[in-house]
Structure formats: C-alpha cells, structure tokens
Amino acid sequence: MASPTSLLKRLLLGRPFRSDRLQHTLLPKRIALPVFASDALSSVAYAPDEILLTLSIAGASAYFFSPWIALAVVVVMLTVVASYRQNVYAYPSGGGDYEVATVNLGPKFGVGVASALLVDYVLTVAVSVSSGVANLGSVVPFVATHKVLIAVSAVVLLTAVNLRGLRESGTAFAIPTYGFVIVMLGMLLTGLFRVFVLGDELRAPSADLVIQAEHSVTGFALVFLLLRTFSSGAAALTGVEAISNGVPAFKAPKSRNAATTLLLLGTISVSMLVGIIWLARLTHLQFVEDPNLQIVSGPEGYVQKTVTTQLGETVFGSGSILLYVLAGVTALILFLAANTAFNGFPVLGSILAQDRYLPRQFHTRGDRLAFSNGITFLALFAIVLIVGFQAEVTKLIQLYIVGVFVSFTVSQVGMIRHWNRHLRTERDPEARRRMHRSRAINTFGAGLTGAVLVIVLITKFLLGAWIAIAAMAVIYVLMLAIRRHYDRIAVELTPPDEGRAVLPARNHAIVLVSKVHQPTLRAIAYARATRPDTLTAVTVNVDEKDTRDLQADWERREMAIPLTVIDSPYREITRPILDFVASTRRKSPRDVVTVFIPEYVVGRWWENLLHNQSALRLKGRLLFEPGVMVVSVPWQLASTASKNLDRLDATLSRTPARGPRSAVPPLVATPPVAAPPGEGGPENSGTMGNSRD
C-alpha cells in the first residue's frame, strides 16, 4: 500500500511518465508561445507604467517624450528579436546565450552569462508575481492588504503546475495568455477607433489632475532622466532570450518553430506597447511616482490606478464588465509571466549541471519528466525576494533587466565570432551572403544592447542594480568552485589507460557499475578475488547516452566479465536492482547473493551536497533481503586526508601509522596482483552513493 506522502504526491503531480514519453511533451507553436513568451507579452502591463512614472519626476510636460521613449524600446526589441532568430538556427540544442558564449568566447564568458540569466529568471518570477498582485489589488482591497501572502501563494501554485510537466503547464497557461492578448488589443483598437473614426474625445480619469515636478530637470539632468526612463521601459525586453534556451522543447522542425514564435512575440509585444503609450497620450493619462507628493489638485481620496486599468475605464466605461475582464486577465498574465522563468531556469540549470557547473541533481528529470529540482530552487529564491522586498514592484524593478542585457550583449558578440569563423571556411556565394547578413544583424544587436547595458548600469546602479550584480558575482564564483570540485574528483577517479591486470583472490557474485572509474575497478578486483561461482557486472539504464558510453568504454577496456544492462523506464535505480537480485535468488534459492557496491568517500560535509546517495538507499533495501550479502568497496578521495583519524589510529595501535592517501598500500598484497595506484586499505568505509557523478 502506498504511503500517505506518496499518495499526496500523486494527487498533486499525477502519475510518473516513462522516459520514452519525452517526445510527447514537446510543444507546438500555439502552446510554445504562451509558455515561453508570457513574460515578454506581460511586460506591457508594467513597462508603460515605469515609463510614465519616471517621466513624471520632471512634471506633466515631460510626458511629451513618452512616445519617443517607446519608439526607442521598440527599436531595441525588434533588433533583439532579429538577433535571436539567428541564434536559434545556429544553436538549436537549447543552450541559448550560455552555449553561444561558451563556444565562441570561452567557458568563463559562458558561466558569466549563465549567472546573469539565473539571477534574471529569479527576478522575473518576483517582479511578475508582485506586479500581478499590485494590479489585482487595485480592484480587490483584500489582495492589497495581504500582497506578500498572495504573491507567495501564487509562486507555490505556479511551482505545482510546472512540476506536473511542461506540456500540461503550457496548456493550462495558453487560454489566459491568448485572452490577455485579445482583450488588450481589443481595448487599443476600440479606443483608437473611437478617437479617429467616431471623433470621441476620450479623457483618462487622471487627465484633469494637477501634478507638480519632484525636481526641476533641465540640461544634463533631463538627459539623465530620459536615459533612466528608457532603461525602465526596457523591461519590456525581458523574456525574449527564453525561447533560445527552450528550443529543445519545440516540436520539429525545432529551429524554424522557435524562430516563428520569436517573430510572433516581437510583433505582438511591440504592437501592444506602442498602442498603450499612444492611447495614453491621446487620453491625456497621467501616472506619477509618488501620488501623495506630486498630485496637488485632485478628487478627495484619489487612489492611483495602473495605466492599463485607467485606459480600460476610459475606453469601456467605469463599472463595465469589460473593464473587470481587462483587470482580471492583466493580473492573471502577470502571474503567468513567471512561467517563462519556470521553463527557462530549469533547462539552463540542467545544461549547467551537465557541464558540471551546478550539482548533478539539476540535470535529473522528475516523475513527470520536468526538471523538478530546478523548478523548486527557482521558487524558493523567488519567495525569498518577494518576502524580502515586501512584493514592492518599484523596488524589485530596479534590480531587473541588468542580467538580461548582460546576456544579450555577450551573446551577440559571440554570434559575431561564430559567423567570422564560418566565413573563413565557407566558399558558397549564397551561403556567404546569408552569413554576412546574419553577422550584420548580430553586430548591430551587440552595439545596441551594449549601449543599453551601459545606460542601465549608470541609471540604476545606486537604485538597487548593484544587488543583482553582486548576486551574479557570487553565483559566478560558486559555479566555478563547483566545476573545480567535479574536475578534481574526475581526475582522481579516472583509471589509467594502461595498467597491470588485477588477478582474482576471493569470492564474488554481482558488481554494481555506474562508470568505469577507479572505485569500479577496485570493486571488480575485490569481487574476483573472492572466487565466485558466477560473476556479473550490472548497470541500470536511466540515460541512453550514458549507458551507450559505458558499454563502449567497457568493450574498449576489454573487461573480463560481462556487463548486464537493466532497463529502467521510470529512471529508478533501486527497484530494478532489487528485482534483478530477487530473480537470481529464485533461480538458486539455496545460494547466497553477494552484491558489491563501489563507493567513494568525501571528507567535507558540503561535498555530500554535490553527490547523490544512491548507495545508501540501495544498501538500506538490500540489507532486508534474505540470502543477500552487501559489500561496500570504498574509495577515499583526497579530501578525506583532512579528517581527524587519531581516534581510529588509536584503536588500531598494532597497525602501521597512517600515511598520506597516495602512499596507502594496495588492497591485494599478492605479488603478481597490482591494484590501481592510490587505493586505500580494506579498513576504509564510507557512505557516498554510486552515481553517475
């Protein structure tokens, strides 16, 4: 009978998917658009607000510049979309900016881009959800008074939906996303139709307010204010890069579908952003940074509403059902905008884990074939930001977009080098013309996004952008440290290409294998030394590529014993091995089955966080199987040398003093037998699981 915890998990997440169901989770364009583009589409709900409230610092007359600021944002948006259409064709594997930077500029640039994107994804969730709460709170007072609680609850709900799987979350989010686009475009077209065709004079609820400037802004100060306004409006570009990171999630042809989705995203976002700013100017809409300070003449008890809410009230009428529909879908799309990050962050985390810059757990798919660990970590960090900044959009927005423009700029520079490299070898005139055109697009994109990055850093650094920069630096250093750890472990575990054969000396039955490395060779040598009646090596197929690599390495090294591969459609390790052992027992119920488990031992507590504990779980189950003996064959890593072993040495007073790990005698002392260099003695033990680390 299933445990209550297991039943609750199945109720919330559903039944697990087999690995061969992965193809069925791929997304068509109509579903991929709301999944990957909801962030960029929803930005029109707060980017115009940021443009107008920043201009209001200089007074109502500064609203004159709002169309030009919007036009500048549109130019950057179209440039970035055109640039990323080149990316998805050149690098369709899903690495996005990280892969482009790593391949063309080097690993350190790739890690820098990855750290920027990880921070930006977390901020996307925090900003989008907080903005959704702010919009909903303008019509529902309870939400306004409990905005932190509502925001955290929304993140938890989004996490649960995404843990159910990519396709299911996309289907759930498609209707509200398309609903938002239809209602928003409908409002804009209706308003423009009434102004230019019917000749109606539309005035926003804030049109007759008298506002004063916070500061007198002229000369250089005005230029700085316009640059700051532009950097705030550039928040509309966040989320564009998510499509290039999510190309593997598209149905075939992946690159073409991703490029088409990018084009749709750019067209819709630009249309809505321009339409909102245009209609705001036609209706004389005003939106200020500090209503209590800047509004000097207005209705008693005036509460400032968002730009989209004011436009909806102006076009549809106060109290209209369409106004509430607009407010509802706007709040909903802002909540769902976080879904872009929930799809981008886990995929990027999986790629980084595969490249050994993040713990291997980020590369593992959960029961529903989603990257569950990445989704969970993203939710936790976003909740920390929401609670820490009390779900205040104005505060969170200052940390925003720094990371995304870092990735934009570095990615475009990498693409320039990509085209330069291919042009050196390409001789076909038509292909060269296409490459020259693509390089020109990426060159213009690099220059423009680089300029925007400088503007953002100058105008937002002291307002909070320094926090995002500091977070990027910390993540960058942490990822390099993780990579150094894994590289050091790989060197320690890699067996020599040529070595003396280890002769048998004892009994043996089954050796569990994850890779052909030093712990595995020691376990095989020890098992053969036990002189078993039967001898086999067993591995569990949880990843087709890893299994094929293992089989090829096994054959290349001409191992003396056969390798048995057990298929695991649900990517579980323990149950297939238990079934295999049970089947062996049924064939010979009077015999004893001995399972040899190779392990390596770490000396620092934090190193355990970077490796899973498969061996512990497996041993815990095998110990309860009748007629089954479990033998741990430890391999001590260099970090165990820092452990205080004086107490152990005292109990072994008759043995020689312990020396450095490199000087520990081989496991088998028979003269003709040679163990791989660096092996520890039989008294060593550990709890580190045999995994694909």
Side-chain angles (χ1 to χ4, degrees):
M1 182 178 295
S3 65
T5 303
S6 177
L7 290 174
L8 180 61
K9 181 179 180 182
R10 293 292 167 261
L11 179 64
L12 294 176
L13 305 183
R15 293 183 177 276
F17 286 156
R18 291 171 58 97
S19 295
D20 54 16
R21 283 283 308 273
L22 185 60
Q23 291 296 321
H24 298 285
T25 66
L26 298 181
L27 305 176
K29 294 189 292 294
R30 67 180 183 278
I31 301 297
L33 182 64
V35 166
F36 291 108
S38 56
D39 178 22
L41 292 176
S42 68
S43 64
V44 299
Y46 55 82
D49 297 42
E50 294 301 316
I51 291 174
L52 295 179
L53 72 84
T54 307
L55 288 173
S56 72
I57 295 175
S61 60
Y63 290 142
F64 166 79
F65 297 103
S66 60
W68 301 103
I69 298 295
L71 181 61
V73 173
V74 166
V75 171
V76 179
M77 167 73 83
L78 296 178
T79 301
V80 170
V81 168
S83 300
Y84 274 90
R85 282 171 59 86
Q86 316 305 315
N87 289 32
V88 298
Y89 281 111
Y91 295 94
S93 61
D97 295 336
Y98 165 71
E99 183 179 3
V100 173
T102 301
V103 172
N104 298 288
L105 302 176
K108 290 188 176 180
F109 281 92
V111 175
V113 167
S115 63
L117 286 174
L118 292 177
V119 171
D120 193 72
Y121 281 137
V122 176
L123 284 167
T124 294
V125 176
V127 170
S128 298
V129 172
S130 298
S131 182
V133 170
N135 276 268
L136 191 60
S138 64
V139 293
V140 182
F142 175 81
V143 175
T145 56
H146 300 83
K147 57 184 179 181
V148 175
L149 176 62
I150 301 300
V152 171
S153 301
V155 173
V156 172
L157 180 60
L158 286 170
T159 304
V161 173
N162 278 276
L163 287 175
R164 292 187 65 90
L166 184 63
R167 189 182 182 92
E168 288 198 24
S169 66
T171 303
F173 297 159
I175 295 176
T177 301
Y178 284 121
F180 168 75
V181 172
I182 293 172
V183 172
M184 184 65 71
L185 291 178
M187 179 195 70
L188 296 175
L189 292 175
T190 301
L192 295 174
F193 179 81
R194 290 183 59 184
V195 171
F196 291 106
V197 178
L198 300 182
D200 294 344
E201 183 180 357
L202 299 181
R203 295 186 66 82
S206 59
D208 298 323
L209 297 177
V210 177
I211 67 173
Q212 66 177 1
E214 288 188 32
H215 306 284
S216 178
V217 180
T218 58
F220 178 78
L222 178 60
V223 174
F224 185 83
L225 178 65
L226 294 178
L227 292 177
R228 179 182 165 188
T229 305
F230 169 71
S231 66
S232 297
L237 278 78
T238 56
V240 175
E241 79 289 344
I243 292 179
S244 66
N245 293 331
V247 176
F250 284 80
K251 282 189 172 181
K254 297 178 181 293
S255 293
R256 188 173 69 185
N257 287 338
T260 302
T261 305
L262 266 170
L263 183 60
L264 290 172
L265 161 65
T267 303
I268 296 173
S269 295
V270 164
S271 300
M272 290 194 294
L273 178 63
V274 171
I276 289 175
I277 294 296
W278 190 12
L279 192 58
R281 291 292 297 143
L282 292 174
T283 59
H284 307 284
L285 185 148
Q286 299 183 103
F287 192 80
V288 299
E289 184 178 37
D290 189 347
N292 295 326
L293 179 64
Q294 294 179 263
I295 297 177
V296 296
S297 176
E300 185 177 354
Y302 175 77
V303 177
Q304 180 172 260
K305 298 179 181 179
T306 62
V307 171
T308 54
T309 302
Q310 289 191 52
L311 289 178
E313 187 173 335
T314 304
V315 174
F316 298 134
S318 179
S320 168
I321 185 64
L322 290 177
L323 173 62
Y324 288 99
V325 172
L326 174 65
V329 296
T330 301
L332 190 57
I333 189 63
L334 284 166
F335 286 132
L336 301 187
N339 192 61
T340 299
F342 272 103
N343 288 291
F345 183 99
V347 173
L348 179 60
S350 171
I351 295 171
L352 289 169
Q354 192 172 17
D355 290 345
R356 298 181 292 182
Y357 288 112
L358 287 180
R360 289 287 293 175
Q361 291 90 329
F362 281 88
H363 184 54
T364 305
R365 291 185 183 270
D367 289 348
R368 304 284 290 184
L369 294 175
F371 295 109
S372 305
N373 292 326
I375 293 171
T376 304
F377 269 82
L378 172 63
L380 290 176
F381 286 122
I383 288 174
V384 169
L385 280 178
I386 289 172
V387 175
F389 287 87
Q390 292 296 293
E392 291 288 345
V393 180
T394 304
K395 295 178 181 178
L396 287 168
I397 202 76
Q398 308 305 329
L399 284 67
Y400 209 20
I401 79 172
V402 177
V404 75
F405 273 98
V406 169
S407 64
F408 284 168
T409 305
V410 176
S411 174
Q412 299 315 304
V413 173
M415 287 300 297
I416 294 171
R417 296 194 65 176
H418 167 83
W419 298 123
N420 288 339
R421 187 174 65 253
H422 283 273
L423 282 168
R424 285 195 291 267
T425 58
E426 183 61 56
R427 294 294 176 264
D428 180 51
E430 181 61 28
R432 288 182 64 85
R433 279 194 295 272
R434 289 196 302 268
M435 290 180 184
H436 279 295
R437 183 178 65 250
S438 297
R439 185 178 64 176
I441 293 173
N442 290 126
T443 301
F444 183 72
L448 192 57
T449 56
V452 175
L453 176 60
V454 172
I455 293 171
V456 170
L457 291 175
I458 293 174
T459 58
K460 289 195 170 187
F461 185 82
L462 295 179
L463 296 176
W466 67 269
I467 299 176
I469 296 172
M472 294 174 205
V474 170
I475 294 175
Y476 178 83
V477 172
L478 182 60
M479 286 197 292
L480 290 181
I482 292 174
R483 176 59 188 261
R484 282 195 298 268
H485 168 79
Y486 280 130
D487 287 347
R488 185 173 65 252
I489 298 304
V491 170
E492 291 187 45
L493 300 181
T494 301
D497 292 334
E498 296 180 1
R500 291 173 293 175
V502 181
L503 300 180
R506 294 186 179 180
N507 197 12
H508 170 270
I510 297 174
V511 178
L512 301 185
V513 177
S514 63
K515 283 184 178 180
V516 184
H517 50 28
Q518 294 278 42
T520 299
L521 294 184
R522 167 178 278 186
I524 293 174
Y526 185 70
R528 294 179 66 186
T530 62
R531 300 184 181 277
D533 295 319
T534 62
L535 175 60
T536 185
V538 173
T539 188
V540 179
N541 178 21
V542 295
D543 187 284
E544 292 290 344
K545 182 179 181 301
D546 289 347
T547 303
R548 289 194 299 269
D549 292 344
L550 173 61
Q551 290 174 313
D553 197 15
W554 197 270
E555 295 175 0
R556 183 178 65 83
R557 294 180 180 276
E558 299 180 352
M559 305 298 289
I561 62 175
L563 176 65
T564 299
V565 178
I566 305 174
D567 191 48
S568 178
Y570 295 106
R571 302 163 301 285
E572 186 182 7
I573 295 176
T574 304
R575 174 51 55 187
I577 292 177
L578 291 175
D579 293 340
F580 182 85
V581 171
S583 66
T584 304
R585 283 280 298 157
R586 285 193 296 269
K587 294 177 183 177
S588 305
R590 295 183 181 180
D591 293 342
V592 173
V593 176
T594 305
V595 181
F596 293 85
I597 303 179
E599 306 177 55
Y600 50 91
V601 187
V602 297
R604 304 180 184 91
W605 66 268
W606 55 265
E607 290 180 305
N608 287 292
L609 300 176
L610 303 178
H611 308 278
N612 62 37
Q613 300 292 322
S614 301
L616 280 178
R617 295 194 299 270
L618 190 56
K619 285 189 291 186
R621 294 296 306 275
L622 287 172
L623 288 174
F624 291 93
E625 295 292 325
V628 176
M629 305 300 171
V630 183
V631 179
S632 295
V633 184
W635 179 274
Q636 292 80 14
L637 299 176
S639 60
T640 59
S642 61
K643 299 289 288 185
N644 185 358
L645 302 178
D646 292 341
R647 182 176 300 176
L648 178 60
D649 288 341
T651 61
L652 302 174
S653 57
R654 294 186 179 182
T655 64
R658 185 182 301 272
R661 284 294 184 271
S662 59
V664 176
L667 176 66
V668 182
T670 307
V673 179
E679 295 188 357
E683 76 278 10
N684 298 325
S685 62
T687 58
M688 196 60 203
N690 69 311
S691 67
R692 301 185 188 277
D693 293 337

